[in-house]
mmCIF file of all heavy atoms in Angstrom:
data_model
loop_
_atom_site.group_PDB
_atom_site.id
_atom_site.type_symbol
_atom_site.label_atom_id
_atom_site.label_comp_id
_atom_site.label_asym_id
_atom_site.label_seq_id
_atom_site.Cartn_x
_atom_site.Cartn_y
_atom_site.Cartn_z
ATOM 1 N N MET A 2 0.587 2.129 -0.813
ATOM 2 C CA MET A 2 1.352 3.340 -0.941
ATOM 3 C C MET A 2 0.875 4.369 0.028
ATOM 4 O O MET A 2 -0.355 4.575 0.336
ATOM 5 C CB MET A 2 1.092 4.029 -2.402
ATOM 6 C CG MET A 2 1.810 5.245 -2.630
ATOM 7 S SD MET A 2 3.617 5.222 -2.511
ATOM 8 C CE MET A 2 3.949 6.875 -2.467
ATOM 9 N N GLU A 5 4.209 9.302 2.960
ATOM 10 C CA GLU A 5 5.502 9.470 3.563
ATOM 11 C C GLU A 5 6.609 8.704 2.631
ATOM 12 O O GLU A 5 7.908 8.996 2.765
ATOM 13 C CB GLU A 5 5.608 8.945 4.955
ATOM 14 C CG GLU A 5 5.140 7.598 5.260
ATOM 15 C CD GLU A 5 3.602 7.449 5.665
ATOM 16 O OE1 GLU A 5 2.927 8.526 5.490
ATOM 17 O OE2 GLU A 5 3.270 6.418 6.053
ATOM 18 N N ASN A 6 6.234 7.809 1.759
ATOM 19 C CA ASN A 6 7.073 7.090 0.909
ATOM 20 C C ASN A 6 7.769 8.018 -0.075
ATOM 21 O O ASN A 6 8.740 7.646 -0.671
ATOM 22 C CB ASN A 6 6.460 5.982 0.254
ATOM 23 C CG ASN A 6 5.979 4.758 1.183
ATOM 24 O OD1 ASN A 6 6.303 4.749 2.253
ATOM 25 N ND2 ASN A 6 5.129 3.976 0.733
ATOM 26 N N ASN A 9 12.339 12.139 0.204
ATOM 27 C CA ASN A 9 13.630 11.780 -0.162
ATOM 28 C C ASN A 9 13.653 11.038 -1.447
ATOM 29 O O ASN A 9 14.752 10.349 -1.700
ATOM 30 C CB ASN A 9 14.451 11.148 0.877
ATOM 31 C CG ASN A 9 14.677 11.882 2.195
ATOM 32 O OD1 ASN A 9 14.912 13.177 2.085
ATOM 33 N ND2 ASN A 9 14.513 11.401 3.343
ATOM 34 N N VAL A 12 9.841 12.738 -7.590
ATOM 35 C CA VAL A 12 8.501 12.304 -8.097
ATOM 36 C C VAL A 12 8.120 13.298 -9.178
ATOM 37 O O VAL A 12 8.794 14.333 -9.454
ATOM 38 C CB VAL A 12 7.554 12.507 -6.984
ATOM 39 C CG1 VAL A 12 7.795 11.552 -5.725
ATOM 40 C CG2 VAL A 12 7.338 13.915 -6.486
ATOM 41 N N ASN A 18 -3.858 24.623 -12.481
ATOM 42 C CA ASN A 18 -4.222 26.037 -12.169
ATOM 43 C C ASN A 18 -3.222 26.766 -11.372
ATOM 44 O O ASN A 18 -3.459 27.358 -10.341
ATOM 45 C CB ASN A 18 -5.559 26.069 -11.552
ATOM 46 C CG ASN A 18 -6.278 27.452 -11.717
ATOM 47 O OD1 ASN A 18 -5.839 28.275 -12.630
ATOM 48 N ND2 ASN A 18 -7.294 27.683 -10.877
ATOM 49 N N GLU A 24 5.815 32.426 -10.221
ATOM 50 C CA GLU A 24 6.706 33.429 -9.592
ATOM 51 C C GLU A 24 7.889 32.720 -8.969
ATOM 52 O O GLU A 24 8.979 33.247 -8.801
ATOM 53 C CB GLU A 24 6.102 34.239 -8.652
ATOM 54 C CG GLU A 24 5.079 35.281 -9.226
ATOM 55 C CD GLU A 24 5.671 36.424 -10.035
ATOM 56 O OE1 GLU A 24 6.878 36.822 -9.669
ATOM 57 O OE2 GLU A 24 5.130 36.760 -11.065
ATOM 58 N N VAL A 36 11.457 15.510 -3.194
ATOM 59 C CA VAL A 36 10.602 15.862 -2.062
ATOM 60 C C VAL A 36 11.468 15.754 -0.749
ATOM 61 O O VAL A 36 11.938 14.826 -0.402
ATOM 62 C CB VAL A 36 9.392 14.848 -2.024
ATOM 63 C CG1 VAL A 36 8.532 15.158 -0.796
ATOM 64 C CG2 VAL A 36 8.503 15.023 -3.336
ATOM 65 N N VAL A 37 11.306 17.013 0.014
ATOM 66 C CA VAL A 37 11.889 16.971 1.205
ATOM 67 C C VAL A 37 10.934 16.779 2.479
ATOM 68 O O VAL A 37 11.435 16.636 3.625
ATOM 69 C CB VAL A 37 12.803 18.347 1.458
ATOM 70 C CG1 VAL A 37 13.916 18.272 0.491
ATOM 71 C CG2 VAL A 37 11.876 19.496 1.253
ATOM 72 N N GLY A 43 0.803 21.100 2.025
ATOM 73 C CA GLY A 43 1.191 20.662 0.745
ATOM 74 C C GLY A 43 2.508 19.839 0.791
ATOM 75 O O GLY A 43 2.814 19.340 1.760
ATOM 76 N N VAL A 44 3.223 19.866 -0.421
ATOM 77 C CA VAL A 44 4.454 19.107 -0.510
ATOM 78 C C VAL A 44 5.597 20.065 -0.521
ATOM 79 O O VAL A 44 5.538 21.102 -1.330
ATOM 80 C CB VAL A 44 4.351 18.204 -1.781
ATOM 81 C CG1 VAL A 44 5.725 17.526 -2.044
ATOM 82 C CG2 VAL A 44 3.263 17.144 -1.757
ATOM 83 N N VAL A 46 9.334 20.701 -1.711
ATOM 84 C CA VAL A 46 10.316 20.179 -2.605
ATOM 85 C C VAL A 46 11.587 21.086 -2.543
ATOM 86 O O VAL A 46 11.551 22.215 -2.163
ATOM 87 C CB VAL A 46 9.804 20.184 -4.095
ATOM 88 C CG1 VAL A 46 8.555 19.237 -4.237
ATOM 89 C CG2 VAL A 46 9.460 21.567 -4.515
ATOM 90 N N ASN A 50 18.750 25.964 -6.569
ATOM 91 C CA ASN A 50 19.394 27.292 -6.962
ATOM 92 C C ASN A 50 18.358 28.389 -6.840
ATOM 93 O O ASN A 50 18.066 29.086 -7.912
ATOM 94 C CB ASN A 50 19.950 27.194 -8.366
ATOM 95 C CG ASN A 50 21.152 26.297 -8.464
ATOM 96 O OD1 ASN A 50 22.114 26.582 -7.702
ATOM 97 N ND2 ASN A 50 21.071 25.316 -9.267
ATOM 98 N N PRO A 54 17.960 37.540 -2.797
ATOM 99 C CA PRO A 54 18.572 38.897 -2.735
ATOM 100 C C PRO A 54 19.272 39.133 -1.418
ATOM 101 O O PRO A 54 18.907 38.528 -0.450
ATOM 102 C CB PRO A 54 17.534 39.864 -2.967
ATOM 103 C CG PRO A 54 16.289 39.184 -2.720
ATOM 104 C CD PRO A 54 16.544 37.672 -2.925
ATOM 105 N N LEU A 59 16.742 43.811 -0.340
ATOM 106 C CA LEU A 59 15.366 43.585 0.029
ATOM 107 C C LEU A 59 14.874 45.088 0.525
ATOM 108 O O LEU A 59 13.713 45.524 0.043
ATOM 109 C CB LEU A 59 15.086 42.671 1.013
ATOM 110 C CG LEU A 59 15.169 41.193 0.699
ATOM 111 C CD1 LEU A 59 15.127 40.244 1.791
ATOM 112 C CD2 LEU A 59 14.211 40.776 -0.436
ATOM 113 N N ASN A 64 17.586 45.370 -7.765
ATOM 114 C CA ASN A 64 17.293 44.330 -8.775
ATOM 115 C C ASN A 64 17.561 42.994 -8.274
ATOM 116 O O ASN A 64 18.699 42.737 -7.812
ATOM 117 C CB ASN A 64 18.254 44.706 -9.910
ATOM 118 C CG ASN A 64 17.962 43.666 -11.127
ATOM 119 O OD1 ASN A 64 17.129 42.744 -11.030
ATOM 120 N ND2 ASN A 64 18.550 44.072 -12.324
ATOM 121 N N PRO A 65 16.592 42.122 -8.088
ATOM 122 C CA PRO A 65 16.754 40.728 -7.560
ATOM 123 C C PRO A 65 17.669 39.924 -8.379
ATOM 124 O O PRO A 65 18.139 38.828 -7.927
ATOM 125 C CB PRO A 65 15.382 40.197 -7.495
ATOM 126 C CG PRO A 65 14.651 40.884 -8.482
ATOM 127 C CD PRO A 65 15.208 42.352 -8.528
ATOM 128 N N LYS A 66 18.045 40.308 -9.720
ATOM 129 C CA LYS A 66 18.889 39.494 -10.459
ATOM 130 C C LYS A 66 20.388 39.554 -9.866
ATOM 131 O O LYS A 66 21.045 38.739 -10.370
ATOM 132 C CB LYS A 66 18.891 39.935 -11.935
ATOM 133 C CG LYS A 66 17.621 39.638 -12.620
ATOM 134 C CD LYS A 66 17.696 39.831 -14.084
ATOM 135 C CE LYS A 66 16.331 39.425 -14.659
ATOM 136 N NZ LYS A 66 16.245 39.084 -15.967
ATOM 137 N N LYS A 69 22.235 36.084 -4.799
ATOM 138 C CA LYS A 69 23.037 34.848 -4.813
ATOM 139 C C LYS A 69 22.013 33.676 -4.924
ATOM 140 O O LYS A 69 20.852 33.845 -4.657
ATOM 141 C CB LYS A 69 23.870 34.687 -3.586
ATOM 142 C CG LYS A 69 23.153 34.644 -2.266
ATOM 143 C CD LYS A 69 24.112 34.656 -1.112
ATOM 144 C CE LYS A 69 23.307 34.499 0.225
ATOM 145 N NZ LYS A 69 24.315 34.398 1.318
ATOM 146 N N THR A 70 22.580 32.518 -5.290
ATOM 147 C CA THR A 70 21.603 31.367 -5.310
ATOM 148 C C THR A 70 21.845 30.499 -4.055
ATOM 149 O O THR A 70 23.054 30.326 -3.677
ATOM 150 C CB THR A 70 21.851 30.616 -6.547
ATOM 151 O OG1 THR A 70 23.197 30.126 -6.566
ATOM 152 C CG2 THR A 70 21.407 31.272 -7.790
ATOM 153 N N SER A 74 13.650 25.179 0.298
ATOM 154 C CA SER A 74 12.527 24.321 0.245
ATOM 155 C C SER A 74 11.361 25.099 -0.230
ATOM 156 O O SER A 74 11.106 26.108 0.343
ATOM 157 C CB SER A 74 12.305 23.701 1.585
ATOM 158 O OG SER A 74 13.365 22.920 1.980
ATOM 159 N N ILE A 77 4.579 23.445 -2.298
ATOM 160 C CA ILE A 77 3.607 23.443 -3.409
ATOM 161 C C ILE A 77 2.295 23.081 -2.652
ATOM 162 O O ILE A 77 2.081 21.817 -2.220
ATOM 163 C CB ILE A 77 3.978 22.349 -4.390
ATOM 164 C CG1 ILE A 77 5.271 22.646 -5.057
ATOM 165 C CG2 ILE A 77 2.763 22.336 -5.565
ATOM 166 C CD1 ILE A 77 5.781 21.693 -6.105
ATOM 167 N N PRO A 78 1.284 24.053 -2.545
ATOM 168 C CA PRO A 78 0.071 23.764 -1.850
ATOM 169 C C PRO A 78 -0.753 22.682 -2.514
ATOM 170 O O PRO A 78 -0.803 22.519 -3.708
ATOM 171 C CB PRO A 78 -0.551 25.066 -1.840
ATOM 172 C CG PRO A 78 0.566 26.069 -2.004
ATOM 173 C CD PRO A 78 1.453 25.345 -2.915
ATOM 174 N N SER A 84 -1.812 15.567 -9.283
ATOM 175 C CA SER A 84 -1.497 14.206 -8.994
ATOM 176 C C SER A 84 0.015 14.162 -8.665
ATOM 177 O O SER A 84 0.703 15.094 -8.977
ATOM 178 C CB SER A 84 -1.811 13.234 -10.232
ATOM 179 O OG SER A 84 -1.496 12.024 -9.989
ATOM 180 N N ILE A 85 0.442 13.063 -8.051
ATOM 181 C CA ILE A 85 1.874 12.865 -7.737
ATOM 182 C C ILE A 85 2.076 11.402 -8.239
ATOM 183 O O ILE A 85 1.327 10.465 -7.803
ATOM 184 C CB ILE A 85 2.195 12.987 -6.309
ATOM 185 C CG1 ILE A 85 1.860 14.388 -5.759
ATOM 186 C CG2 ILE A 85 3.632 12.615 -6.081
ATOM 187 C CD1 ILE A 85 2.077 14.498 -4.318
ATOM 188 N N VAL A 91 12.895 2.495 -8.868
ATOM 189 C CA VAL A 91 13.390 2.917 -10.145
ATOM 190 C C VAL A 91 14.674 3.752 -9.970
ATOM 191 O O VAL A 91 14.707 4.709 -9.205
ATOM 192 C CB VAL A 91 12.412 3.839 -10.986
ATOM 193 C CG1 VAL A 91 13.121 4.203 -12.299
ATOM 194 C CG2 VAL A 91 11.083 3.010 -11.219
ATOM 195 N N GLY A 93 17.654 5.980 -9.868
ATOM 196 C CA GLY A 93 17.727 7.422 -10.247
ATOM 197 C C GLY A 93 16.650 8.376 -9.657
ATOM 198 O O GLY A 93 16.724 9.490 -9.590
ATOM 199 N N PHE A 94 15.526 7.619 -9.206
ATOM 200 C CA PHE A 94 14.448 8.290 -8.698
ATOM 201 C C PHE A 94 14.160 8.093 -7.182
ATOM 202 O O PHE A 94 13.291 8.622 -6.611
ATOM 203 C CB PHE A 94 13.121 7.957 -9.457
ATOM 204 C CG PHE A 94 13.054 8.585 -10.800
ATOM 205 C CD1 PHE A 94 13.746 7.903 -11.871
ATOM 206 C CD2 PHE A 94 12.347 9.665 -11.082
ATOM 207 C CE1 PHE A 94 13.603 8.496 -13.097
ATOM 208 C CE2 PHE A 94 12.270 10.252 -12.281
ATOM 209 C CZ PHE A 94 12.998 9.737 -13.331
ATOM 210 N N ILE A 108 14.115 29.029 -13.652
ATOM 211 C CA ILE A 108 14.551 30.337 -13.089
ATOM 212 C C ILE A 108 15.266 31.154 -14.178
ATOM 213 O O ILE A 108 16.149 30.553 -14.868
ATOM 214 C CB ILE A 108 15.402 30.215 -11.762
ATOM 215 C CG1 ILE A 108 14.683 29.487 -10.732
ATOM 216 C CG2 ILE A 108 15.895 31.492 -11.353
ATOM 217 C CD1 ILE A 108 13.466 30.226 -10.181
#
Side-chain angles (χ1 to χ4, degrees):
M2 176 63 190
E5 55 266 14
N6 293 344
N9 294 322
V12 299
N18 204 17
E24 293 292 322
V36 177
V37 295
V44 174
V46 298
N50 291 305
L59 288 172
N64 185 351
K66 290 193 179 206
K69 66 179 179 178
T70 56
S74 296
I77 302 176
S84 187
I85 299 173
V91 176
F94 286 81
I108 298 297

